[in-house]
Amino acid sequence: YEERPRLVHRLDRDTSGVLVVALDADTHRALSMQFERRETRKTYVALAAGHPPKDAGEIDLPIRKDLVNTPLQIVDFAHGRPSVTGWEVRERLESPTRTRFGLMPVTGRSHQLRVHLLAIGHPILGDDLYAPPEVKAMSPRLCLHAERLGFTHPATGASMDFSAPADF
């Protein structure tokens, strides 16, 4: 019996970047538990419309599925699941006005980063699900990238960090 590689976590549709794949069931289980217990270290980069008034902050808005418009997610204070994203400005760009954000999700909800940035007024360039047409048209692709992922190696206990630079 030969085991197949197993994806430990996933990225939202059209998001590029670092993924973790386990080569056996025990490793998959151990790594999946680290994600579930929020013991991993994740950093994303996004290019979004506009400039925020501050240089850093935290978005704490509950998210749930939009039952009318699947696969969309919406902010819902009554029925949403807790969702938290830390953010920082990496670069403010002009012509057109946009910001390169560093994003540090605490939780891992579907479309969390896209919904959170939209909710604070900064839709991600190229986002065909959430961005208004003029922001979607600013890029031929979704400008959201899983830049860095860190975890503890299940067998050795060593701290592992992997990164891939964004191409936007």
Side-chain angles (χ1 to χ4, degrees):
Y1 166 73
E2 187 176 319
E3 293 207 53
R4 289 192 231 171
R6 301 164 188 235
L7 200 57
V8 175
H9 68 109
R10 61 179 185 75
L11 297 175
D12 282 347
R13 181 177 68 90
D14 299 330
T15 302
S16 58
V18 179
L19 282 171
V20 176
V21 178
L23 298 179
D24 62 65
D26 290 339
T27 302
H28 181 266
R29 191 174 309 102
L31 289 170
S32 295
M33 291 303 298
Q34 287 185 48
F35 275 88
E36 186 177 317
R37 293 187 305 256
R38 300 180 184 152
E39 295 171 349
T40 57
R41 301 167 301 282
K42 299 177 280 188
T43 304
Y44 289 72
V45 62
L47 195 56
H51 289 166
K54 302 185 308 182
D55 288 333
E58 184 176 87
I59 305 164
D60 186 352
L61 296 171
I63 297 173
R64 72 162 172 85
K65 287 181 184 179
D66 182 337
L67 301 176
V68 176
N69 298 305
T70 57
L72 299 184
Q73 306 287 319
I74 59 172
V75 172
D76 183 335
F77 290 96
H79 304 289
R81 296 174 67 194
S83 305
V84 179
T85 303
W87 62 270
E88 65 184 11
V89 170
R90 291 196 178 169
E91 185 178 15
R92 294 177 190 270
L93 302 161
E94 300 294 344
S95 299
T97 303
R98 58 210 190 287
T99 300
R100 185 175 313 278
F101 285 92
L103 303 169
M104 294 71 64
V106 176
T107 52
R109 310 285 179 234
S110 290
H111 300 180
Q112 175 178 319
L113 303 176
R114 297 159 84 158
V115 171
H116 275 176
L117 282 181
L118 178 66
I120 65 166
H122 302 288
I124 298 174
L125 277 55
D127 189 344
D128 65 349
L129 291 178
Y130 297 98
E134 64 275 12
V135 175
K136 179 192 178 307
M138 292 171 76
S139 175
R141 61 159 289 194
L142 175 67
C143 291
L144 180 61
H145 180 82
E147 178 180 64
R148 181 179 158 269
L149 180 61
F151 57 89
T152 301
H153 192 286
T156 67
S159 180
M160 308 293 293
D161 279 288
F162 300 93
S163 63
D167 65 352
F168 54 81

